[in-house]
Amino acid sequence: MKLWILLLLILSFILHPLPSSSSSSLFKHRLLRAKASSIKQTEPQISYQTRFFQQNLDHFTFNNNPLTFPQRYLINTDHWNPSSVGPIFFYCGNEGDIVWFAQNSGFLWEIAPLFKAMLVFPEHRYYGESVPFGSKYVAYNNASTLSYLTSEQALADFAVLITHLKRNYSALLSPVVLFGGSYGGMLAAWMRLKYPHIAVGALASSAPILQFEDIIPPQTFYDIVSNDFRRESLTCFNYIKQSWDEIASRGQTNDGLAQLTRTFNFCQQLESAEDLSGWLSSAYSYLAMVNYPYPADFMMPLPGHPIKEVCRRIDGGRPGTSIPERIYEGVNVYYNYTGEAKCFELDDDPHGLSGWDWQACTEMVMPMSSSPDSSMFPPYEYNYSSFEEDCLKEFGVKPRPKWITTEFGGHNIHATLKNFGSNIIFSNGLLDPWSGGSVLQNISESVVALVTEEGAHHIDLRASTENDPNWLIEQRATEIKLIQGWISDHYQKNKVIFDM
Amino acid sequence: MKLWILLLLILSFILHPLPSSSSSSLFKHRLLRAKASSIKQTEPQISYQTRFFQQNLDHFTFNNNPLTFPQRYLINTDHWNPSSVGPIFFYCGNEGDIVWFAQNSGFLWEIAPLFKAMLVFPEHRYYGESVPFGSKYVAYNNASTLSYLTSEQALADFAVLITHLKRNYSALLSPVVLFGGSYGGMLAAWMRLKYPHIAVGALASSAPILQFEDIIPPQTFYDIVSNDFRRESLTCFNYIKQSWDEIASRGQTNDGLAQLTRTFNFCQQLESAEDLSGWLSSAYSYLAMVNYPYPADFMMPLPGHPIKEVCRRIDGGRPGTSIPERIYEGVNVYYNYTGEAKCFELDDDPHGLSGWDWQACTEMVMPMSSSPDSSMFPPYEYNYSSFEEDCLKEFGVKPRPKWITTEFGGHNIHATLKNFGSNIIFSNGLLDPWSGGSVLQNISESVVALVTEEGAHHIDLRASTENDPNWLIEQRATEIKLIQGWISDHYQKNKVIFDM
């Protein structure tokens, strides 16, 4: 069996590492998710106006015909205090359609009335409808049109938009609170370091700002995913660990591939066993992220504790059931919990996350390995050279693996945050594989870590449910209290009288 | 007499506002300085290696053929402690030839042995020999080639170079101290806010980080220049104030222009009275900046207290001496103190500062007015529209007047520096017209203002002389003490044993 390359991430509300068997096929299947057509998204009761703000495509150069693009943002001022000093809750849009994020950030919608806050959900450049060059097709065409898709440009978009809104609403004294999950959480935290004058605080949920260079061990991510399965069932863990060889061996013949195609119910014939392995790895990683304690529909409609259910099905096959058949039963929970999908397709991207490939190949270089001892994934040792080669092949672009830590810091993040940061909540659930790259310790009185044992990927940003466990209710209450503190401080410093 | 437009700055070690009578002639004479050929520059005893580091021309975009440019830097490791934890003194190069800055920053050379420090003088992109596109001629050709000349790109250059040097010298624990004067001081201060993880502190000398938008009154700069003259002599002040009308009126005929050309000893016939007025205003502004208490040769070789000498000559004309003749006698001190210039030429730029025009027309938009009441310059009310028009004419580029405060803050700089800054010295001399746009009050225990009544433009960065007044000796001693404190803190935090 070939070594697998576990390196490409789709980092979104949900960050997704993609195993692939060969460098050549690495980028072909960037989002290996089944198309389960006609699955309904449950939409929370949210209402907003959709607006567009014309942004400079390049904030850091000047030209005689500067390109611009329309940045979409959703805005709700229903609860905003008309005295113009009410807070502005600003969600740092990440790599996908902003409507989807707004729908999955119920926490903000729930607390806005309490704070009399304005809600703003700006879309990240190059995602959703916020694309330059008139269309996504042109914007994603090549390295030259993609070149402005960077986190620094996105942060500058936020700074410019906030400045514009405060001016337009005569809200110069309104405190701005940043929110973000996953990559959006990274942006929210970085915004505190790079634009401290723009906002008063940030809730950075599941923000792996340390997942760069050698700051954390590269096997961290896959170890956590694997542990999430092992804690449910050691046999389940072992079935998965054994499955890769079996799939690879079957995939060596056309007959074997045809059989796998049937076993896993793909609409089209599989081209390689690696495609299947990528599809499975993707499901396991996502499952670890959305391993919520109640039924939810974020990436996919899923039951509560979905890994428990996956393992129940993998373990539960009748004696004599082959490992691939067991695995199929398991991942069916992820890809087809509602049972509506007739068959599966690779390469589907309903939330428009594909721009992350470019970001991962330029500045968001996150080394990831899979340990032969502790991981249930195929062993893989991170190799920067082959990663670079892949990026050159796919985009003609050479990554800058040390750029993020130069620009934002990271190696000595505790000192940096302690001395220069304030009012940041790093919230993490330890079931979330991205938690290993985040900040898990309190740094100072105002830079705090909220860590929950049973939490998954930015669960705190989701709407509350009747099934919320106590630890989640308490976590959100703490967040509200901390945010209230930031805002009160701001009012006190600026001698504003405002009744929250 | 027409209104004058006082707006274009050549901000260098010395920042220079340029009066010009009409928008059309505004950019033609960006650096109105006489060529006094064969004036020798006194060079301090400095020795260094000259090196080049290949920098990305654009740090904030990624492309398949990223442009790079060779950034020149001067380096001296003679005194650097071989244990690899000795400090790195990093001069934030500003808008001119770095050799010239290194020669005029004797303070760093003098204290390096005391601190066992490495000295690094990186050149600012687009100046000196650090030009992209192979030559200054091409680099300055149009808005497209100039587009990467911004402060954000320059700061990223510094961050990347420092990171590279620390790695190359195995000096990861070496504390980096930033130094800078004028625009370089702004860069040093901003570096503390934007890249707090890169250095431990900054001496920002004469750094007018508040000279933007409406943060300070627009007449501040010219009021300080004017006061510098008035405090020496009210009659001198009045002669200058009266001179503009007389020059303008004479300049309306060809005969008058010919006469002015003779009076002011220009090598070529003056084309307009405005050229002359710009040349004079430039001299007054520079004189206010380099109004040092001892003879110095920075922009020009000058006596100590040069304004006193200028006014002595303006006032001292025999009865019946015309105002233009008096003025000529005065500015002769500035343009030809050594008496070596046979005649004067406009439009000379020996230190290569002309890139500032581009910077002033893009992000460094500093509103300046001249008050009819308090200024000795022709009255002028800052008008952004006409400024924008001029920039569009000259470069085809539209300035972004609110960008600097969005990117770096400014309106509430005390709060920003207090909450997010540390280890910054803002040193200013009140004779310096740029002091009005700088930070003149202590902000916190570690963000301090050193203000001297009799100081001029970043005098503290210059080499010590036998004639240094006590206040200057004390100021430098305080700076050394503060820097020692930053470094000791750093060693203590990192448990480094290093004997300074």
Side-chain angles (χ1 to χ4, degrees):
Chain A
M1 180 189 172
K2 283 186 201 165
L3 279 186
W4 284 37
I5 300 170
L6 303 165
L7 43 76
L8 183 60
L9 312 178
I10 301 294
L11 187 151
S12 107
F13 234 67
I14 251 179
L15 301 121
H16 149 177
L18 217 219
S20 172
S21 65
S22 76
S23 57
S24 64
S25 69
L26 181 64
F27 290 92
K28 223 166 52 188
H29 320 287
R30 42 187 168 236
L31 234 196
L32 298 170
R33 240 166 334 144
K35 194 170 182 175
S37 56
S38 81
I39 288 179
K40 276 181 206 145
Q41 193 92 25
T42 11
E43 296 192 13
Q45 293 294 316
I46 61 176
S47 72
Y48 50 79
Q49 282 192 291
T50 301
R51 296 203 194 140
F52 289 86
F53 178 73
Q54 210 61 21
Q55 285 278 9
N56 282 308
L57 186 55
D58 194 343
H59 294 283
F60 307 107
T61 69
F62 287 78
N63 222 312
N64 37 16
N65 276 314
L67 298 168
T68 61
F69 74 96
Q71 179 172 36
R72 178 167 60 155
Y73 64 100
L74 319 181
I75 186 165
N76 176 311
T77 57
D78 293 352
H79 307 287
W80 196 52
N81 190 289
S83 72
S84 293
V85 294
I88 297 170
F89 285 178
F90 191 90
Y91 178 89
C92 297
N94 31 324
E95 74 288 21
D97 187 300
I98 192 62
V99 174
W100 181 52
F101 292 134
Q103 286 166 345
N104 279 281
S105 302
F107 180 59
L108 277 81
W109 297 93
E110 289 176 5
I111 65 173
L114 173 70
F115 284 92
K116 296 177 184 162
M118 180 192 300
L119 283 178
V120 185
F121 285 82
E123 193 159 56
H124 192 294
R125 52 169 57 205
Y126 283 80
Y127 294 96
E129 297 182 10
S130 303
V131 289
F133 304 111
S135 77
K136 205 159 180 177
Y137 180 77
V138 181
Y140 279 57
N141 188 51
N142 58 48
S144 176
T145 55
L146 277 165
S147 62
Y148 310 95
L149 171 48
T150 68
S151 59
E152 297 83 14
Q153 301 280 4
L155 291 178
D157 290 341
F158 294 158
V160 169
L161 179 59
I162 290 171
T163 307
H164 162 81
L165 289 173
K166 290 184 94 168
R167 207 174 283 132
N168 252 28
Y169 280 90
S170 305
L172 295 181
L173 282 177
S174 282
V176 176
V177 180
L178 306 168
F179 296 78
S182 200
Y183 169 50
M186 295 160 69
L187 293 175
W190 286 338
M191 193 93 186
R192 285 300 290 153
L193 284 172
K194 298 300 251 191
Y195 293 88
H197 53 290
I198 294 284
V200 303
L203 169 53
S205 185
S206 302
I209 59 170
L210 305 179
Q211 196 90 31
F212 296 95
E213 286 186 58
D214 55 355
I215 303 176
I216 61 160
Q219 67 272 19
T220 305
F221 184 95
Y222 288 107
D223 276 1
I224 299 178
V225 176
S226 302
N227 285 340
D228 285 358
F229 282 80
R230 186 163 31 205
R231 76 198 274 274
E232 294 298 347
S233 153
L234 184 59
T235 50
C236 173
F237 173 94
N238 283 330
Y239 279 128
I240 294 170
K241 199 172 168 74
Q242 287 160 33
S243 68
W244 312 110
D245 277 355
E246 183 139 352
I247 288 167
S249 126
R250 292 199 191 183
Q252 286 183 337
T253 66
N254 279 341
D255 277 2
L257 274 177
Q259 199 191 345
L260 287 173
T261 302
R262 281 192 304 276
T263 305
F264 284 90
N265 194 21
F266 282 104
C267 310
Q268 274 96 39
Q269 165 84 15
L270 281 169
E271 284 174 30
S272 74
E274 288 89 16
D275 285 0
L276 172 57
S277 298
W279 187 74
L280 294 173
S281 299
S282 177
Y284 301 141
S285 300
Y286 277 129
L287 278 161
M289 292 178 235
V290 298
N291 197 16
Y292 299 135
Y294 49 72
D297 177 2
F298 178 34
M299 294 303 282
M300 294 286 181
L302 289 174
H305 301 291
I307 290 182
K308 191 188 287 293
E309 178 62 16
V310 169
C311 280
R312 200 184 59 78
R313 297 209 195 171
I314 287 179
D315 290 345
R318 282 167 296 116
T321 309
S322 74
I323 292 185
E325 283 163 346
R326 286 176 184 274
I327 298 295
Y328 174 69
E329 284 305 315
V331 294
N332 223 352
V333 172
Y334 181 71
Y335 283 122
N336 194 20
Y337 188 61
T338 60
E340 291 176 32
K342 300 291 170 240
C343 60
F344 297 118
E345 275 174 28
L346 299 173
D347 233 353
D348 183 27
D349 180 12
H351 303 301
L353 312 177
S354 64
W356 188 259
D357 293 0
W358 166 263
Q359 293 193 255
C361 264
T362 50
E363 53 180 11
M364 295 296 162
V365 181
M366 300 178 166
M368 291 210 180
S369 296
S370 171
S371 151
D373 305 321
S374 46
S375 162
M376 68 183 194
F377 293 90
Y380 172 72
E381 203 164 333
Y382 176 73
N383 179 327
Y384 174 71
S385 305
S386 72
F387 175 76
E388 181 182 284
E389 205 181 297
D390 292 332
C391 291
L392 280 166
K393 262 189 210 146
E394 176 66 12
F395 294 110
V397 79
K398 206 173 156 182
R400 291 186 216 146
K402 294 181 198 307
W403 169 241
I404 285 289
T405 60
T406 303
E407 177 68 9
F408 298 113
H411 281 99
N412 204 359
I413 199 72
H414 282 241
T416 304
L417 287 170
K418 189 172 175 183
N419 296 324
F420 305 102
S422 74
N423 297 357
I424 309 178
I425 301 167
F426 288 99
S427 66
N428 281 284
L430 293 183
L431 297 185
D432 177 12
W434 293 110
S435 64
S438 188
V439 175
L440 299 175
Q441 292 180 318
N442 290 336
I443 305 274
S444 68
E445 247 182 62
S446 78
V447 179
V448 300
L450 297 184
V451 179
T452 55
E453 294 255 333
E454 298 291 315
H457 206 46
H458 48 67
I459 186 171
D460 49 337
L461 292 184
R462 302 188 62 77
S464 59
T465 72
E466 286 179 0
N467 304 315
D468 285 347
N470 279 340
W471 56 261
L472 181 55
I473 294 168
E474 281 163 24
Q475 178 184 4
R476 291 201 184 111
T478 307
E479 290 172 355
I480 289 169
K481 212 173 135 191
L482 288 166
I483 293 168
Q484 275 172 330
W486 305 338
I487 292 174
S488 298
D489 270 5
H490 170 84
Y491 288 144
Q492 217 158 13
K493 274 180 200 154
N494 291 280
K495 300 187 176 59
V496 170
I497 296 163
F498 179 72
D499 177 29
M500 272 195 292
Chain B
M1 180 190 172
K2 286 184 200 163
L3 279 187
W4 284 38
I5 299 171
L6 304 164
L7 43 76
L8 183 60
L9 314 177
I10 301 295
L11 186 151
S12 106
F13 233 67
I14 251 179
L15 302 121
H16 149 180
L18 217 219
S20 172
S21 65
S22 76
S23 56
S24 64
S25 69
L26 181 65
F27 291 92
K28 222 165 56 188
H29 320 289
R30 44 187 167 234
L31 233 196
L32 299 169
R33 240 166 335 146
K35 193 171 181 175
S37 57
S38 82
I39 287 179
K40 276 181 207 142
Q41 193 92 23
T42 14
E43 296 193 14
Q45 294 292 317
I46 61 176
S47 72
Y48 50 78
Q49 282 191 290
T50 302
R51 295 202 196 142
F52 289 86
F53 178 74
Q54 210 62 22
Q55 286 278 8
N56 283 308
L57 186 55
D58 194 343
H59 293 283
F60 307 108
T61 69
F62 287 78
N63 222 312
N64 38 15
N65 276 313
L67 298 168
T68 61
F69 74 96
Q71 179 172 35
R72 178 166 62 154
Y73 64 99
L74 319 180
I75 185 165
N76 176 310
T77 57
D78 293 351
H79 307 288
W80 196 52
N81 191 291
S83 71
S84 293
V85 293
I88 297 171
F89 286 178
F90 191 89
Y91 178 89
C92 298
N94 33 323
E95 73 287 22
D97 187 302
I98 192 62
V99 174
W100 181 52
F101 292 134
Q103 286 165 346
N104 280 280
S105 301
F107 179 59
L108 276 81
W109 297 92
E110 289 176 7
I111 65 173
L114 173 72
F115 284 92
K116 297 175 184 163
M118 181 192 299
L119 284 178
V120 185
F121 285 84
E123 193 159 56
H124 192 295
R125 52 170 55 204
Y126 284 80
Y127 294 96
E129 297 182 11
S130 302
V131 289
F133 305 111
S135 76
K136 204 159 180 175
Y137 180 76
V138 181
Y140 280 57
N141 189 52
N142 58 47
S144 176
T145 55
L146 276 165
S147 63
Y148 310 95
L149 171 48
T150 68
S151 60
E152 297 83 14
Q153 301 279 3
L155 291 177
D157 290 340
F158 294 159
V160 169
L161 179 60
I162 289 171
T163 307
H164 162 81
L165 288 173
K166 289 184 95 167
R167 207 174 282 133
N168 251 28
Y169 280 91
S170 304
L172 295 182
L173 283 177
S174 282
V176 176
V177 180
L178 306 167
F179 295 79
S182 201
Y183 169 50
M186 294 160 69
L187 293 175
W190 286 338
M191 192 94 186
R192 285 301 290 153
L193 284 173
K194 298 300 249 190
Y195 293 88
H197 53 289
I198 294 283
V200 303
L203 170 52
S205 184
S206 303
I209 58 171
L210 305 179
Q211 196 90 31
F212 296 96
E213 286 186 57
D214 54 355
I215 304 176
I216 61 160
Q219 67 272 17
T220 304
F221 184 95
Y222 289 108
D223 276 1
I224 298 178
V225 177
S226 302
N227 285 340
D228 285 357
F229 281 80
R230 185 162 34 203
R231 76 198 274 275
E232 294 299 347
S233 152
L234 184 59
T235 51
C236 172
F237 173 95
N238 283 329
Y239 278 130
I240 294 171
K241 199 171 168 77
Q242 288 160 32
S243 68
W244 312 109
D245 276 356
E246 183 140 350
I247 289 168
S249 128
R250 291 198 192 184
Q252 287 184 336
T253 66
N254 279 342
D255 277 1
L257 273 176
Q259 199 192 346
L260 286 172
T261 302
R262 281 192 304 277
T263 304
F264 284 90
N265 194 23
F266 283 104
C267 308
Q268 274 96 39
Q269 165 85 12
L270 281 170
E271 285 174 29
S272 74
E274 287 88 15
D275 286 359
L276 172 58
S277 297
W279 185 74
L280 294 173
S281 298
S282 176
Y284 302 141
S285 299
Y286 276 129
L287 278 161
M289 292 179 236
V290 299
N291 197 16
Y292 299 135
Y294 48 72
D297 177 2
F298 178 34
M299 294 302 282
M300 296 285 182
L302 289 174
H305 300 290
I307 290 182
K308 192 188 287 292
E309 178 61 16
V310 169
C311 280
R312 200 184 59 79
R313 297 207 194 172
I314 287 178
D315 290 346
R318 280 166 296 116
T321 308
S322 74
I323 290 184
E325 283 164 346
R326 286 175 184 274
I327 297 295
Y328 174 69
E329 283 306 314
V331 295
N332 223 351
V333 171
Y334 180 70
Y335 283 122
N336 194 21
Y337 187 61
T338 60
E340 290 176 33
K342 301 289 172 239
C343 58
F344 297 118
E345 275 173 27
L346 299 173
D347 234 353
D348 183 27
D349 180 12
H351 304 300
L353 311 178
S354 64
W356 188 258
D357 293 0
W358 166 264
Q359 294 193 257
C361 264
T362 49
E363 53 181 10
M364 296 295 162
V365 181
M366 301 177 165
M368 291 210 180
S369 296
S370 171
S371 150
D373 304 323
S374 46
S375 161
M376 71 184 192
F377 293 90
Y380 172 72
E381 204 166 330
Y382 176 73
N383 179 324
Y384 174 71
S385 305
S386 70
F387 176 75
E388 181 181 284
E389 204 180 297
D390 293 332
C391 291
L392 280 166
K393 263 188 209 150
E394 176 66 13
F395 294 111
V397 79
K398 207 172 156 184
R400 291 187 216 145
K402 294 182 199 309
W403 169 242
I404 286 289
T405 59
T406 302
E407 176 68 11
F408 298 113
H411 282 100
N412 203 0
I413 199 72
H414 282 240
T416 305
L417 287 170
K418 189 173 174 182
N419 295 325
F420 305 101
S422 73
N423 298 357
I424 309 177
I425 301 167
F426 288 99
S427 67
N428 282 283
L430 294 184
L431 297 184
D432 177 12
W434 292 109
S435 64
S438 188
V439 175
L440 299 175
Q441 289 181 321
N442 289 336
I443 305 273
S444 68
E445 247 182 62
S446 78
V447 178
V448 299
L450 297 183
V451 179
T452 56
E453 295 255 332
E454 298 291 315
H457 206 46
H458 48 69
I459 186 171
D460 49 336
L461 293 184
R462 301 188 62 76
S464 60
T465 73
E466 287 180 0
N467 303 314
D468 285 348
N470 279 340
W471 56 260
L472 181 54
I473 295 169
E474 281 162 24
Q475 178 183 4
R476 292 200 183 110
T478 307
E479 289 171 357
I480 290 170
K481 213 174 134 189
L482 288 166
I483 293 168
Q484 275 172 330
W486 304 339
I487 293 174
S488 299
D489 270 5
H490 170 84
Y491 288 144
Q492 217 158 13
K493 274 181 199 154
N494 291 281
K495 299 187 176 60
V496 170
I497 295 163
F498 179 71
D499 178 28
M500 272 197 288

